[in-house]
Each structure stands twice: as structure tokens, then as C-alpha cells.
Coordinates of all heavy atoms in Angstrom, one line a residue:
M6 N -1.2 2.8 24.5 CA -0.2 3.7 25.1 C -0.7 4.0 26.5 O -1.8 4.2 26.8 CB -0.1 5.0 24.3 CG 0.8 6.0 24.9 SD 0.9 7.5 23.9 CE 2.6 7.6 23.9
A7 N 0.3 3.9 27.4 CA -0.1 4.1 28.9 C -0.3 5.6 29.1 O 0.2 6.4 28.5 CB 1.1 3.6 29.7
S8 N -1.2 5.8 30.1 CA -1.5 7.2 30.5 C -0.4 7.9 31.2 O 0.6 7.3 31.7 CB -2.7 7.2 31.4 OG -2.4 6.6 32.7
D9 N -0.5 9.2 31.2 CA 0.5 10.1 31.9 C 0.5 9.7 33.4 O 1.6 9.7 34.0 CB 0.2 11.5 31.8 CG 0.4 12.0 30.4 OD1 1.1 11.4 29.6 OD2 -0.2 13.1 30.0
E10 N -0.7 9.4 34.0 CA -0.7 9.0 35.4 C 0.0 7.7 35.6 O 0.7 7.6 36.7 CB -2.2 8.8 35.8 CG -3.0 10.1 35.8 CD -3.6 10.5 34.5 OE1 -3.4 9.8 33.5 OE2 -4.3 11.5 34.5
F11 N -0.1 6.7 34.7 CA 0.6 5.5 34.9 C 2.2 5.7 34.8 O 2.9 5.2 35.6 CB 0.2 4.5 33.8 CG 1.0 3.2 34.0 CD1 0.5 2.2 34.9 CD2 2.1 2.9 33.3 CE1 1.2 1.0 35.1 CE2 2.8 1.7 33.5 CZ 2.3 0.8 34.4
H12 N 2.6 6.6 33.9 CA 4.0 6.9 33.8 C 4.5 7.6 35.1 O 5.6 7.3 35.5 CB 4.3 7.7 32.6 CG 4.2 7.0 31.3 ND1 5.1 6.0 30.9 CD2 3.3 7.0 30.3 CE1 4.8 5.5 29.8 NE2 3.7 6.1 29.3
A13 N 3.7 8.5 35.6 CA 4.1 9.1 36.9 C 4.2 8.1 38.0 O 5.2 8.2 38.8 CB 3.1 10.2 37.2
L14 N 3.3 7.2 38.1 CA 3.4 6.2 39.1 C 4.6 5.3 38.9 O 5.3 5.0 39.9 CB 2.1 5.3 39.1 CG 2.1 4.1 40.1 CD1 2.2 4.6 41.5 CD2 0.9 3.2 39.8
A15 N 4.9 4.9 37.7 CA 6.1 4.1 37.4 C 7.3 4.8 37.8 O 8.3 4.2 38.3 CB 6.1 3.7 35.9
D16 N 7.4 6.2 37.5 CA 8.5 6.9 37.9 C 8.7 7.0 39.4 O 9.8 6.9 39.9 CB 8.4 8.4 37.3 CG 8.6 8.4 35.8 OD1 9.1 7.4 35.2 OD2 8.2 9.4 35.2
R17 N 7.6 7.2 40.1 CA 7.7 7.2 41.6 C 8.1 5.9 42.1 O 8.9 5.8 43.1 CB 6.3 7.6 42.2 CG 5.9 9.0 42.1 CD 4.8 9.4 43.0 NE 3.6 8.5 43.0 CZ 2.6 8.7 42.2 NH1 2.5 9.7 41.4 NH2 1.6 7.8 42.3
M18 N 7.6 4.8 41.6 CA 8.0 3.5 42.0 C 9.5 3.2 41.8 O 10.2 2.7 42.6 CB 7.2 2.4 41.4 CG 5.7 2.4 41.9 SD 4.7 1.3 41.0 CE 5.4 -0.3 41.5
A19 N 10.0 3.7 40.6 CA 11.4 3.5 40.2 C 12.3 4.3 41.1 O 13.5 3.8 41.4 CB 11.6 3.8 38.8
A20 N 11.9 5.4 41.6 CA 12.7 6.3 42.5 C 12.7 5.8 43.9 O 13.5 6.3 44.7 CB 12.2 7.7 42.4
S21 N 11.8 4.9 44.3 CA 11.7 4.5 45.7 C 12.5 3.2 45.9 O 12.5 2.4 45.0 CB 10.2 4.2 46.0 OG 9.4 5.3 45.8
P22 N 13.0 3.0 47.1 CA 13.7 1.8 47.3 C 12.7 0.6 47.4 O 11.5 0.8 47.7 CB 14.3 2.0 48.7 CG 13.5 3.1 49.3 CD 13.0 3.9 48.2
P23 N 13.1 -0.5 47.0 CA 12.2 -1.7 47.1 C 11.7 -1.9 48.5 O 12.5 -1.8 49.4 CB 13.0 -2.8 46.5 CG 14.4 -2.4 46.5 CD 14.4 -0.9 46.6
P24 N 10.5 -2.3 48.6 CA 10.0 -2.6 50.0 C 10.6 -3.9 50.5 O 11.0 -4.7 49.8 CB 8.4 -2.7 49.8 CG 8.3 -3.2 48.4 CD 9.4 -2.5 47.6
P25 N 10.5 -4.0 51.8 CA 11.0 -5.3 52.4 C 10.1 -6.4 51.9 O 9.0 -6.2 51.6 CB 10.9 -5.1 53.9 CG 10.0 -4.0 54.1 CD 10.0 -3.1 52.9
P26 N 10.7 -7.6 51.9 CA 9.9 -8.8 51.4 C 8.6 -9.0 52.3 O 8.7 -8.8 53.5 CB 10.8 -10.0 51.5 CG 12.1 -9.4 51.8 CD 12.0 -8.0 52.2
D27 N 7.5 -9.3 51.7 CA 6.3 -9.6 52.4 C 6.4 -11.0 53.1 O 7.0 -11.9 52.5 CB 5.1 -9.5 51.5 CG 4.9 -8.2 50.9 OD1 4.8 -7.2 51.7 OD2 4.8 -8.1 49.7
E28 N 5.8 -11.1 54.2 CA 5.8 -12.4 54.9 C 4.7 -13.3 54.4 O 4.8 -14.5 54.5 CB 5.8 -12.2 56.4 CG 7.0 -11.5 57.0 CD 6.9 -11.3 58.5 OE1 6.1 -12.0 59.1 OE2 7.7 -10.5 59.0
T29 N 3.6 -12.7 54.0 CA 2.4 -13.5 53.6 C 1.9 -13.0 52.3 O 2.1 -11.8 51.9 CB 1.3 -13.5 54.7 OG1 0.8 -12.1 54.7 CG2 1.8 -13.9 56.0
V30 N 1.1 -13.8 51.6 CA 0.4 -13.4 50.4 C -0.6 -12.3 50.7 O -0.7 -11.3 49.9 CB -0.4 -14.6 49.8 CG1 -1.3 -14.1 48.7 CG2 0.6 -15.6 49.3
E31 N -1.2 -12.3 51.9 CA -2.1 -11.2 52.3 C -1.4 -9.9 52.4 O -1.9 -8.9 51.9 CB -2.8 -11.6 53.6 CG -3.8 -12.7 53.5 CD -3.2 -14.1 53.5 OE1 -2.0 -14.2 53.8 OE2 -3.9 -15.1 53.1
Q32 N -0.2 -9.9 52.9 CA 0.6 -8.6 53.0 C 1.0 -8.1 51.6 O 0.9 -6.9 51.3 CB 1.8 -8.8 53.8 CG 1.6 -9.0 55.3 CD 2.9 -9.4 56.1 OE1 3.8 -10.1 55.5 NE2 2.9 -9.0 57.3
Q33 N 1.3 -9.1 50.7 CA 1.7 -8.7 49.4 C 0.5 -8.1 48.6 O 0.6 -7.1 48.0 CB 2.3 -9.9 48.6 CG 2.9 -9.6 47.3 CD 3.6 -10.7 46.7 OE1 3.2 -11.9 47.0 NE2 4.5 -10.5 45.8
R34 N -0.6 -8.8 48.8 CA -1.9 -8.3 48.1 C -2.2 -6.9 48.6 O -2.6 -6.0 47.8 CB -3.0 -9.3 48.4 CG -4.3 -8.9 47.7 CD -5.4 -9.9 47.9 NE -5.0 -11.2 47.2 CZ -5.0 -12.4 47.8 NH1 -5.3 -12.5 49.1 NH2 -4.6 -13.4 47.1
A35 N -2.1 -6.7 49.9 CA -2.5 -5.4 50.5 C -1.5 -4.3 49.9 O -2.0 -3.2 49.6 CB -2.4 -5.4 52.0
R36 N -0.3 -4.6 49.8 CA 0.7 -3.6 49.3 C 0.4 -3.3 47.8 O 0.4 -2.1 47.4 CB 2.1 -4.2 49.5 CG 3.2 -3.2 49.0 CD 4.6 -3.7 49.3 NE 4.9 -5.1 48.9 CZ 5.1 -5.4 47.6 NH1 5.1 -4.6 46.6 NH2 5.3 -6.7 47.3
I37 N 0.2 -4.3 47.0 CA -0.1 -4.1 45.6 C -1.4 -3.3 45.4 O -1.5 -2.4 44.6 CB -0.2 -5.5 44.9 CG1 1.2 -6.1 44.8 CG2 -0.7 -5.3 43.4 CD1 1.3 -7.5 44.3
D38 N -2.4 -3.7 46.2 CA -3.7 -3.0 46.1 C -3.6 -1.5 46.5 O -4.1 -0.6 45.9 CB -4.8 -3.6 47.0 CG -5.3 -4.9 46.4 OD1 -5.1 -5.2 45.2 OD2 -6.0 -5.6 47.2
A39 N -2.8 -1.3 47.5 CA -2.6 0.1 48.0 C -1.9 0.9 46.9 O -2.2 2.1 46.7 CB -1.8 0.2 49.3
T40 N -0.9 0.3 46.2 CA -0.2 1.0 45.2 C -1.1 1.2 43.9 O -1.2 2.3 43.4 CB 1.1 0.3 44.8 OG1 1.9 0.1 45.9 CG2 1.8 0.9 43.6
M41 N -1.7 0.2 43.5 CA -2.5 0.2 42.2 C -3.8 1.1 42.4 O -4.3 1.7 41.4 CB -2.8 -1.2 41.8 CG -1.6 -2.0 41.4 SD -0.8 -1.3 39.9 CE -1.9 -1.8 38.6
S42 N -4.3 1.1 43.6 CA -5.6 1.9 43.8 C -5.3 3.4 43.7 O -6.3 4.2 43.7 CB -6.2 1.5 45.2 OG -5.4 2.0 46.2
Q43 N -4.0 3.8 43.7 CA -3.7 5.2 43.5 C -3.9 5.7 42.0 O -4.0 6.9 41.8 CB -2.3 5.5 43.9 CG -2.0 5.3 45.4 CD -0.6 5.6 45.7 OE1 0.0 6.5 45.2 NE2 0.0 4.7 46.6
L44 N -4.0 4.7 41.1 CA -4.2 5.1 39.7 C -5.6 5.6 39.6 O -6.6 4.8 40.0 CB -4.0 3.9 38.8 CG -2.5 3.4 38.7 CD1 -2.4 2.1 37.9 CD2 -1.7 4.5 38.0
P45 N -5.8 6.7 39.0 CA -7.2 7.2 38.9 C -8.0 6.5 37.8 O -7.4 6.0 36.8 CB -7.0 8.7 38.5 CG -5.7 8.7 37.8 CD -4.9 7.7 38.5
L46 N -9.3 6.4 37.9 CA -10.1 5.9 36.8 C -10.2 7.0 35.8 O -10.0 8.1 36.0 CB -11.5 5.5 37.4 CG -11.6 4.4 38.4 CD1 -13.0 4.3 39.0 CD2 -11.2 3.1 37.8
A47 N -10.6 6.5 34.6 CA -10.8 7.5 33.5 C -12.0 8.5 33.9 O -12.8 8.1 34.7 CB -11.2 6.8 32.2
E48 N -11.9 9.7 33.4 CA -12.9 10.7 33.7 C -14.3 10.1 33.4 O -14.6 9.6 32.3 CB -12.7 11.9 32.9 CG -13.6 13.1 33.3 CD -13.2 14.4 32.6 OE1 -12.0 14.6 32.3 OE2 -14.1 15.2 32.4
G49 N -15.2 10.3 34.3 CA -16.6 9.8 34.2 C -16.9 8.4 34.4 O -18.0 7.9 34.3
V50 N -15.8 7.6 34.9 CA -16.0 6.2 35.1 C -16.1 6.0 36.6 O -15.4 6.7 37.4 CB -14.8 5.4 34.6 CG1 -14.8 4.0 35.0 CG2 -14.8 5.5 33.1
E51 N -16.9 5.1 37.0 CA -17.1 4.7 38.5 C -16.8 3.2 38.6 O -17.0 2.4 37.7 CB -18.4 5.1 39.0 CG -19.6 4.5 38.3 CD -20.9 5.0 38.7 OE1 -21.0 5.9 39.5 OE2 -21.9 4.4 38.2
A52 N -16.3 2.9 39.8 CA -16.0 1.5 40.1 C -16.9 1.1 41.4 O -16.8 1.8 42.4 CB -14.6 1.2 40.4
I53 N -17.7 0.1 41.2 CA -18.7 -0.3 42.3 C -18.3 -1.7 42.7 O -18.4 -2.6 41.9 CB -20.1 -0.2 41.8 CG1 -20.4 1.2 41.3 CG2 -21.1 -0.6 42.9 CD1 -21.6 1.3 40.3
E54 N -18.0 -1.8 44.0 CA -17.8 -3.2 44.5 C -19.1 -3.9 44.7 O -20.1 -3.3 45.2 CB -17.0 -3.1 45.9 CG -15.6 -2.6 45.7 CD -14.8 -2.7 47.0 OE1 -15.0 -3.6 47.8 OE2 -13.9 -1.8 47.1
T55 N -19.2 -5.1 44.2 CA -20.4 -5.9 44.2 C -20.1 -7.4 44.4 O -19.0 -7.8 44.5 CB -21.2 -5.6 42.9 OG1 -22.5 -6.2 43.0 CG2 -20.5 -6.1 41.7
T56 N -21.2 -8.2 44.4 CA -21.0 -9.6 44.5 C -21.9 -10.2 43.4 O -23.0 -9.8 43.2 CB -21.5 -10.2 45.8 OG1 -20.7 -9.5 46.9 CG2 -21.3 -11.7 45.9
V57 N -21.3 -11.1 42.6 CA -22.0 -11.7 41.5 C -21.9 -13.3 41.7 O -20.9 -13.8 41.7 CB -21.4 -11.4 40.1 CG1 -22.1 -12.1 39.0 CG2 -21.4 -9.9 39.9
G58 N -23.1 -13.9 41.9 CA -23.1 -15.3 42.2 C -22.3 -15.7 43.4 O -21.6 -16.8 43.4
G59 N -22.2 -14.9 44.4 CA -21.4 -15.1 45.6 C -19.9 -14.8 45.5 O -19.2 -15.1 46.4
V60 N -19.5 -14.3 44.3 CA -18.1 -14.0 44.1 C -17.9 -12.5 44.1 O -18.6 -11.7 43.4 CB -17.6 -14.5 42.7 CG1 -16.2 -14.2 42.5 CG2 -17.8 -16.0 42.7
P61 N -17.0 -11.9 44.9 CA -16.8 -10.5 45.0 C -16.3 -10.0 43.6 O -15.5 -10.7 42.9 CB -15.6 -10.3 46.0 CG -15.6 -11.6 46.8 CD -16.1 -12.6 45.9
A62 N -16.8 -8.9 43.2 CA -16.5 -8.3 41.8 C -16.4 -6.8 41.9 O -16.9 -6.2 42.9 CB -17.5 -8.8 40.8
V63 N -15.9 -6.2 40.9 CA -15.9 -4.7 40.7 C -16.6 -4.4 39.4 O -16.1 -4.8 38.4 CB -14.5 -4.1 40.8 CG1 -14.5 -2.6 40.6 CG2 -13.8 -4.5 42.1
E64 N -17.7 -3.7 39.5 CA -18.3 -3.2 38.2 C -17.8 -1.9 37.9 O -17.9 -0.9 38.7 CB -19.8 -3.1 38.5 CG -20.6 -2.7 37.3 CD -22.1 -2.6 37.5 OE1 -22.6 -3.1 38.5 OE2 -22.8 -2.1 36.6
T65 N -17.1 -1.8 36.8 CA -16.5 -0.5 36.3 C -17.2 -0.1 35.1 O -17.3 -0.8 34.1 CB -15.0 -0.7 36.0 OG1 -14.4 -1.4 37.1 CG2 -14.3 0.6 35.7
R66 N -17.8 1.2 35.1 CA -18.6 1.6 34.0 C -18.7 3.1 34.0 O -18.4 3.8 35.0 CB -20.0 1.1 34.2 CG -20.7 1.6 35.5 CD -22.0 1.0 35.6 NE -22.6 1.4 36.9 CZ -23.8 1.4 37.2 NH1 -24.7 1.0 36.3 NH2 -24.2 1.8 38.4
P67 N -19.1 3.7 32.9 CA -19.3 5.1 32.8 C -20.5 5.5 33.7 O -21.5 4.7 33.8 CB -19.7 5.4 31.4 CG -19.3 4.2 30.6 CD -19.3 3.1 31.6
G68 N -20.4 6.6 34.4 CA -21.5 7.0 35.3 C -22.8 7.3 34.6 O -23.8 7.2 35.2
D69 N -22.8 7.6 33.3 CA -24.0 7.9 32.6 C -24.4 6.7 31.7 O -25.1 6.9 30.7 CB -23.8 9.1 31.7 CG -22.7 9.0 30.7 OD1 -22.0 8.0 30.7 OD2 -22.5 9.9 29.9
L70 N -24.1 5.5 32.1 CA -24.4 4.3 31.3 C -25.9 4.1 31.2 O -26.6 4.1 32.3 CB -23.8 3.1 31.8 CG -24.0 1.8 31.1 CD1 -23.2 1.8 29.7 CD2 -23.4 0.6 31.9
A71 N -26.5 4.0 30.1 CA -27.9 3.8 29.9 C -28.3 2.3 30.4 O -27.5 1.4 30.2 CB -28.4 3.9 28.5
P72 N -29.5 2.2 31.0 CA -29.8 0.8 31.6 C -29.8 -0.3 30.5 O -29.6 -1.4 30.8 CB -31.2 1.1 32.1 CG -31.4 2.5 32.3 CD -30.5 3.2 31.3
D73 N -30.1 0.1 29.2 CA -30.2 -1.0 28.2 C -28.9 -1.0 27.3 O -28.9 -1.6 26.3 CB -31.4 -0.7 27.3 CG -31.4 0.6 26.6 OD1 -30.6 1.5 27.0 OD2 -32.2 0.8 25.7
A74 N -27.8 -0.4 27.8 CA -26.6 -0.4 27.0 C -25.9 -1.7 27.0 O -26.0 -2.5 28.0 CB -25.6 0.7 27.6
P75 N -25.3 -2.1 25.9 CA -24.6 -3.4 25.9 C -23.4 -3.3 26.9 O -22.8 -2.2 27.1 CB -24.1 -3.5 24.5 CG -24.2 -2.2 23.9 CD -25.2 -1.4 24.7
V76 N -23.0 -4.4 27.4 CA -21.8 -4.5 28.4 C -20.8 -5.5 28.0 O -21.2 -6.4 27.2 CB -22.3 -4.7 29.8 CG1 -23.2 -3.6 30.3 CG2 -23.0 -6.1 29.9
V77 N -19.6 -5.4 28.5 CA -18.6 -6.4 28.3 C -18.2 -7.0 29.6 O -18.0 -6.2 30.6 CB -17.3 -5.8 27.6 CG1 -16.2 -6.8 27.6 CG2 -17.7 -5.2 26.3
L78 N -18.2 -8.3 29.7 CA -17.8 -9.0 31.0 C -16.3 -9.3 30.8 O -16.0 -10.1 29.9 CB -18.6 -10.2 31.3 CG -18.2 -11.1 32.4 CD1 -18.3 -10.3 33.7 CD2 -19.0 -12.3 32.5
Y79 N -15.5 -8.8 31.6 CA -14.0 -9.1 31.5 C -13.6 -9.9 32.7 O -13.9 -9.4 33.9 CB -13.2 -7.8 31.5 CG -11.7 -8.0 31.5 CD1 -11.0 -8.5 30.5 CD2 -11.0 -7.7 32.7 CE1 -9.7 -8.7 30.5 CE2 -9.7 -7.9 32.8 CZ -9.0 -8.4 31.7 OH -7.7 -8.7 31.8
V80 N -13.1 -11.0 32.5 CA -12.6 -11.9 33.6 C -11.1 -11.9 33.5 O -10.5 -12.4 32.4 CB -13.2 -13.3 33.5 CG1 -12.7 -14.2 34.6 CG2 -14.7 -13.2 33.6
H81 N -10.4 -11.4 34.5 CA -8.9 -11.4 34.4 C -8.3 -12.8 34.5 O -8.6 -13.6 35.4 CB -8.4 -10.6 35.6 CG -6.9 -10.6 35.8 ND1 -6.1 -10.3 34.8 CD2 -6.2 -10.8 36.9 CE1 -4.8 -10.3 35.2 NE2 -4.9 -10.6 36.5
G82 N -7.6 -13.1 33.4 CA -7.0 -14.5 33.3 C -6.0 -14.9 34.3 O -5.8 -16.1 34.5
G83 N -5.5 -13.9 35.1 CA -4.5 -14.3 36.1 C -5.1 -14.8 37.4 O -4.4 -15.3 38.2
G84 N -6.4 -14.8 37.5 CA -7.0 -15.3 38.7 C -6.7 -14.5 39.9 O -7.0 -15.0 41.0
F85 N -6.2 -13.3 39.8 CA -5.8 -12.5 41.0 C -5.0 -13.3 42.0 O -5.2 -13.4 43.2 CB -7.1 -12.0 41.7 CG -8.0 -11.2 40.7 CD1 -9.2 -11.7 40.4 CD2 -7.5 -10.1 40.1 CE1 -10.0 -11.0 39.5 CE2 -8.3 -9.4 39.2 CZ -9.5 -9.8 38.9
R86 N -4.0 -14.0 41.4 CA -3.2 -14.9 42.2 C -2.5 -14.1 43.4 O -2.3 -14.7 44.5 CB -2.1 -15.5 41.3 CG -1.1 -16.4 42.0 CD -0.2 -17.1 41.0 NE 0.6 -16.1 40.3 CZ 1.8 -15.6 40.8 NH1 2.2 -16.0 41.9 NH2 2.5 -14.7 40.1
I87 N -2.1 -12.9 43.1 CA -1.4 -12.1 44.1 C -2.3 -10.9 44.5 O -2.6 -10.7 45.7 CB 0.0 -11.7 43.7 CG1 0.9 -13.0 43.5 CG2 0.6 -10.8 44.7 CD1 2.2 -12.7 43.0
A88 N -2.6 -10.1 43.5 CA -3.4 -8.9 43.8 C -4.9 -9.2 43.8 O -5.3 -10.4 43.8 CB -3.0 -7.8 42.9
S89 N -5.7 -8.2 43.8 CA -7.2 -8.4 43.8 C -7.8 -7.6 42.6 O -7.1 -6.9 41.9 CB -7.8 -8.0 45.1 OG -7.7 -6.6 45.2
A90 N -9.1 -7.7 42.6 CA -9.9 -6.9 41.5 C -9.6 -5.4 41.7 O -9.6 -4.7 40.7 CB -11.3 -7.2 41.7
L91 N -9.4 -4.9 42.9 CA -9.1 -3.5 43.1 C -7.8 -3.1 42.2 O -7.8 -2.1 41.6 CB -8.8 -3.2 44.6 CG -8.4 -1.8 44.9 CD1 -9.5 -0.8 44.5 CD2 -8.1 -1.7 46.4
A92 N -6.8 -3.9 42.2 CA -5.6 -3.6 41.5 C -5.8 -3.6 40.0 O -5.1 -2.9 39.3 CB -4.5 -4.6 41.9
Y93 N -6.8 -4.3 39.5 CA -7.0 -4.5 38.1 C -8.2 -3.8 37.5 O -8.6 -4.1 36.4 CB -6.9 -6.0 37.7 CG -5.6 -6.6 38.0 CD1 -5.4 -7.3 39.1 CD2 -4.5 -6.4 37.1 CE1 -4.2 -7.8 39.4 CE2 -3.3 -6.9 37.4 CZ -3.1 -7.6 38.5 OH -1.9 -8.2 38.8
R94 N -8.9 -3.0 38.3 CA -10.1 -2.4 37.9 C -9.9 -1.5 36.7 O -10.7 -1.2 35.9 CB -10.8 -1.6 39.0 CG -9.9 -0.4 39.4 CD -10.4 0.3 40.5 NE -9.4 1.4 40.5 CZ -9.3 2.4 41.3 NH1 -10.2 2.6 42.1 NH2 -8.3 3.2 41.2

């Protein structure tokens, strides 16, 4: 079930006129990132921009994560064709 924050964002987007078409993929990515980055992270979660093997990444984890805690590596299957890791954190 989607969060109340997501529903509020969806309502704001539905009430707004559609933006003019983007001229480039970079403009489209920036617009999507700006919109999606408004969604708050869950309470106690932090997102840290990092680089893994030379690839930019976002490490999203609880702030109190123990150093030896198991982790899940999630790789977005869409390949960030239009948006970026920021939009999908």
C-alpha cells in the first residue's frame, strides 16, 4: 500500500497542468529527480550517495544499522533509462 505522502504527491501532480515537453533526456531526468526527491524517506532511514566499482550509487539504510547486519543489494531493473538513482531511492 502506498504511503500517505505518495498519495499527497500524486494528488498534487494530478492537480497541476502537465509540464511542457522536455527537449533533452537530461532535462527530463532533472524534472523527474526534482519531483521524486520530494518524497520523504521512511523515519530513521538515510540515503548516502556513494560510488561502487566506479558506478554512482545510493546507499539507503537505517541510521542505526549495525556494522555486521545483513544487507540487501537492490539493482533497479529499468536501468535508470530516464530518471536516476535519486528518483528510486
Side-chain angles (χ1 to χ4, degrees):
M6 176 179 229
S8 69
D9 291 339
E10 293 86 359
F11 181 83
H12 287 291
L14 175 64
D16 290 344
R17 283 196 314 269
M18 290 174 64
S21 300
D27 298 306
E28 294 181 16
T29 67
V30 171
E31 290 78 12
Q32 290 173 329
Q33 189 174 24
R34 182 175 293 130
R36 182 176 48 78
I37 292 169
D38 284 349
T40 300
M41 296 296 284
S42 66
Q43 293 179 41
L44 291 173
L46 295 172
E48 187 174 329
V50 172
E51 58 187 6
I53 303 160
E54 292 186 31
T55 187
T56 302
V57 179
V60 178
V63 177
E64 181 180 348
T65 307
R66 62 182 175 161
D69 60 354
L70 183 68
D73 60 346
V76 298
V77 174
L78 173 64
Y79 173 74
V80 179
H81 174 49
F85 306 116
R86 180 177 62 85
I87 295 174
S89 71
L91 175 64
Y93 296 98
R94 64 182 182 176

